[in-house]
Amino acid sequence: MIRRFSAPLAAALLLAALTLRGADAAKDEVDTCLACHEDKSLEKKLPNGESRSLFVDRAVFEKSVHGAKLGCTGCHPGYQEMPHPERGAKDLASFTASFRETCKSCHFANYTKALDSVHFAALSKGNTVAPFCADCHGAHDVARPNEPRTRISDTCSTCHSAEAEAYSKSVHGKTLAATNSPDVPVCTDCHKSHAIADPRGQTWRMKSPETCGGCHTDPVKMGRYGLSAKVYTSYLTDFHGRSASLIAGQKKQAERIVAVCVDCHGVHDIARVKDAGSKVLQKNLQATCAKCHPGAPPNFPAAWLSHYEPSPRKAPLVWATALFYRILIPVMIGGLVLQVILHLWRVVVNR
Amino acid sequence: MARGGEPVSSYVVRFSKKQRAEHLIVLTLFTTLAVTGFPQKFYETHWAAVVVNAIGGLDRVRFLHRMAGLLFSVATIFHIVLITFLALARKTGMTMVPTLRDFQDAIQQIRWYLGLAEAPAKFDRYDYRQKFEYWGMLIGSLVMVVTGLILYLPLLFTRFFPGELIPVAQVAHSNEGLMAFLVVITWHIYNAHLSPDVFPFDTCIFTGRISEERMHHEHPLELARLTGAPEEGSGVHGPASGGTAPPA
């Protein structure tokens, strides 16, 4: 199955490699393996007719994060044996799948997190294009995934091109491109890198205040961009936020949908609030509300205080009403309780 | 002195069947509205989640709250229309209308509590505390009905009124509801259950009957009017004259 392969030569080289000890062992092992695998035409033919190139580019591997530290058998255990272990794969997909556990022995935590991901769920259901370790990180060319940070969205865009395109035009994507700042969220900040949850369900939607709140409650981070860090609390005290809190605490799945951050602001296409295309800009707000409140009249968006806390300047009527009750309730209840106490006192005195 | 729940041989019928029914309806709806409303106000507490789960989710809590609210609105509007009609037709006494005398009574009563007056104030059919609670309840109910309907139908409301009135309605509804609840658990529970005059339970609003002895003690002026003899008389039966208003 492996063509142009000289078994005696490979065996001799392997033996030589294994007798060497010390810091050069990894490099020597690589030399041994590359004696064959530097051949660009080396390939594995699979029973169904598919094939997989077995060529390894020395320069690429040496530049990779593993290049200086690991030899070949670190990831391909048992391959010092000749002939190499038979993997019994019928097609390319199962051949690739047979290497999936390779990373586990060193990267156990991330490996197990990935088992909880939507990607692994898809793989388990037989989706052969769903990615696992090497599909995102590469194999012989493994590099730091976040250097530069734009590399992360580039990686995801391999499959999720529409989302990546929308993201690149969003306030987050544009700021990232301009500053490369760690403040700016990339795909994995919201979706996580290994335990990537299914974003299509209610669970993920309802988590969005928490997801966005991770950054948007940080006064230092928000201060750098002139943004309020109170958007999360002001959301929670409003009708939508209250409903979201109560739904989060209930066992039964809610029938009615309640607006969370992304419903008004968008998801990958989040725009600066003051941009002409922003869904939450005053003139666009009626249409945004109407997504959930069909037929919302022009006055309707003003029912939402735009994340402002009521004050004499913003929403003075709301502020005054709250103040009125803050005075009335203690005066009323205090007065009534005082009368009760006086009455009881008189009863006791008269006895 | 005969207490609220004890059987008495000599009694006065204080509340008509309609008044007793009104009290029961308000009692039921008020409780339902409080149980389904407060988890929405105190959304961040643990007990709010417990109540929501016990009822079967927020959707059902809101449904019950809105249905009870609609029934409460009907009851409130019915009451207001009826007393207005009866008052205009002069078919009801103005016993629930606050007068100058109520303010004087309040002052005398408090002076008596403090030991500054020799005797407590003498009351007619409704004392100043009952009038205060009745009118507080009526005004509070109107606030709850109006703000509740605004919150129930925000799309309709904002066709005619500014949107900012919706958060105003929300703040008013939430606080007015809290105040009503606090008044009930302090003032009303004291006057109907915990007060030494009626402890443990003033059954009058459920049976309609009040002992003559209590009438003598609590409503001497009304008793005098009914019997035609100042603070005397016995064996008075049949509905007492007076408003259709439920008692405070």
Side-chain angles (χ1 to χ4, degrees):
Chain A
M1 276 180 268
I2 297 172
R3 296 189 304 166
R4 302 179 43 132
F5 182 76
S6 163
L9 175 63
L13 284 168
L14 268 171
L15 191 68
L18 291 168
T19 54
L20 286 165
R21 295 284 184 275
D24 288 337
K27 193 175 179 313
D28 290 336
E29 188 186 79
V30 172
D31 288 341
T32 307
C33 298
L34 288 187
C36 297
H37 287 275
E38 233 167 352
D39 180 349
K40 289 188 177 171
S41 60
L42 191 65
E43 61 177 13
K44 167 97 173 162
K45 276 244 184 273
L46 293 150
N48 73 337
E50 288 176 311
S51 66
R52 173 79 164 90
S53 167
L54 298 175
F55 165 70
V56 177
D57 189 323
R58 179 189 290 270
V60 165
F61 177 67
E62 282 176 354
K63 248 183 77 186
S64 79
V65 287
H66 292 149
K69 300 182 188 93
L70 294 180
C72 302
T73 53
C75 298
H76 300 282
Y79 274 62
Q80 59 272 49
E81 302 295 332
M82 286 303 302
H84 292 329
E86 183 52 55
R87 306 196 79 89
K90 300 265 186 300
D91 53 24
L92 188 54
S94 52
F95 181 72
T96 311
S98 72
F99 285 95
R100 243 176 236 156
E101 294 207 2
T102 302
C103 310
K104 182 162 94 173
S105 54
C106 296
H107 300 281
F108 187 74
N110 284 340
Y111 176 85
T112 46
K113 279 185 199 166
L115 292 183
D116 290 333
S117 71
V118 63
H119 289 147
F120 186 75
L123 277 175
S124 319
K125 282 182 195 151
N127 180 338
T128 53
V129 296
F132 213 58
C133 313
D135 298 295
C136 301
H137 291 280
H140 298 110
D141 58 342
V142 176
R144 300 215 166 273
N146 57 346
E147 283 175 8
R149 270 168 74 74
T150 46
R151 192 170 168 224
I152 296 171
S153 32
D154 290 344
T155 302
C156 304
S157 74
T158 314
C159 300
H160 301 281
S161 56
E163 287 77 9
E165 171 78 10
Y167 168 80
S168 71
K169 289 176 185 161
S170 75
V171 62
H172 292 143
K174 280 195 270 189
T175 313
L176 181 73
T179 65
N180 202 28
S181 163
D183 290 345
V184 184
V186 294
C187 311
T188 52
D189 288 300
C190 303
H191 291 280
K192 305 286 174 232
S193 35
H194 295 104
I196 300 170
D198 190 335
R200 290 164 296 190
Q202 282 298 312
T203 317
W204 176 258
R205 247 191 96 256
M206 294 310 292
K207 255 186 72 183
S208 93
E210 217 175 285
T211 306
C212 304
C215 291
H216 285 272
T217 53
D218 181 343
V220 178
K221 207 180 265 188
M222 291 302 110
R224 282 200 275 272
Y225 303 89
L227 297 173
S228 163
K230 291 181 176 169
V231 289
Y232 180 68
T233 44
S234 54
Y235 166 74
L236 282 187
T237 51
D238 178 68
F239 179 77
H240 293 142
R242 287 169 180 233
S243 308
S245 298
L246 287 167
I247 288 170
Q250 77 182 40
K251 294 182 189 104
K252 196 166 163 259
Q253 183 91 37
E255 292 149 36
R256 278 163 175 267
I257 284 180
V258 58
V260 292
C261 313
V262 294
D263 293 305
C264 304
H265 290 276
V267 189
H268 298 109
D269 57 346
I270 295 170
R272 197 182 296 274
V273 169
K274 297 211 163 60
D275 277 359
S278 164
K279 297 179 199 322
V280 292
L281 197 67
Q282 199 70 46
K283 73 176 170 62
N284 300 336
L285 210 48
Q286 194 186 345
T288 303
C289 294
K291 285 199 294 178
C292 297
H293 302 279
N299 286 348
F300 187 74
W304 159 243
L305 299 179
S306 305
H307 288 291
Y308 286 111
E309 286 171 26
S311 71
R313 294 184 62 193
K314 294 278 177 190
L317 277 175
V318 183
W319 173 81
T321 310
L323 181 68
F324 171 73
Y325 281 102
R326 209 169 300 140
I327 295 166
L328 180 65
I329 293 177
V331 168
M332 172 78 79
I333 304 304
L336 295 180
V337 169
L338 192 64
Q339 283 209 60
V340 167
I341 292 167
L342 283 173
H343 182 218
L344 282 171
W345 184 61
R346 176 51 42 196
V347 170
V348 171
V349 166
N350 283 3
R351 270 201 179 150
Chain B
M1 183 185 95
R3 282 179 168 171
E6 288 173 16
V8 285
S9 52
S10 175
Y11 64 87
V12 173
V13 176
R14 181 161 164 77
F15 296 117
S16 69
K17 278 198 176 126
K18 189 194 127 300
Q19 289 172 323
R20 285 178 254 163
E22 256 187 312
H23 177 260
L24 266 181
I25 289 167
V26 168
L27 169 67
T28 311
L29 293 175
F30 189 94
T31 309
T32 309
L33 288 164
V35 168
T36 53
F38 283 120
Q40 298 187 60
K41 178 170 174 62
F42 299 103
Y43 59 94
E44 76 281 55
T45 63
H46 174 68
W47 62 260
V50 172
V51 173
V52 168
N53 274 320
I55 293 172
L58 182 64
D59 296 322
R60 194 177 295 164
V61 169
R62 290 226 164 105
F63 175 78
L64 289 174
H65 191 78
R66 285 161 186 172
M67 289 310 113
L70 284 176
L71 291 174
F72 187 84
S73 305
V74 170
T76 303
I77 290 160
F78 175 78
H79 180 83
I80 291 169
V81 169
L82 193 71
I83 55 165
T84 308
F85 174 78
L86 290 176
L88 289 176
R90 304 210 173 274
K91 286 195 174 158
T92 176
M94 293 294 166
T95 48
M96 199 47 108
V97 178
T99 60
L100 181 62
R101 163 111 202 198
D102 291 309
F103 292 94
Q104 292 163 343
D105 283 352
I107 291 164
Q108 187 180 346
Q109 192 75 358
I110 288 165
R111 279 169 57 84
W112 179 66
Y113 288 157
L114 294 168
L116 300 172
E118 285 296 306
K122 283 184 176 160
F123 301 116
D124 203 325
R125 181 164 169 82
Y126 298 111
D127 67 38
Y128 71 94
R129 292 165 298 199
Q130 293 167 327
K131 289 187 189 181
F132 178 82
E133 202 178 325
Y134 170 78
W135 286 102
M137 171 89 190
L138 193 70
I139 294 166
S141 299
L142 276 177
V143 172
M144 293 310 272
V145 167
V146 170
T147 55
L149 286 172
I150 292 173
L151 295 172
Y152 187 29
L153 303 165
L155 289 173
L156 179 67
F157 181 77
T158 50
R159 268 206 252 156
F160 311 103
F161 299 99
E164 197 196 325
L165 293 181
I166 288 178
V168 169
Q170 194 268 319
V171 169
H173 196 80
S174 169
N175 282 288
E176 187 71 37
L178 177 66
M179 187 165 75
F181 177 75
L182 291 175
V183 168
V184 165
I185 62 159
T186 55
W187 190 239
H188 189 71
I189 294 290
Y190 178 77
N191 288 323
H193 297 280
L194 302 179
S195 165
D197 296 343
V198 297
F199 187 82
F201 191 177
D202 182 356
T203 54
C204 174
I205 192 64
F206 296 99
T207 62
R209 296 173 182 184
I210 184 170
S211 74
E212 208 172 302
E213 199 177 343
R214 269 188 68 202
M215 279 296 283
H216 180 69
H217 184 70
E218 294 168 32
H219 305 285
L221 299 181
E222 184 188 16
L223 187 63
R225 259 193 306 107
L226 292 176
T227 56
E231 303 190 21
E232 288 293 327
S234 60
V236 182
H237 296 272
S241 70
T244 54

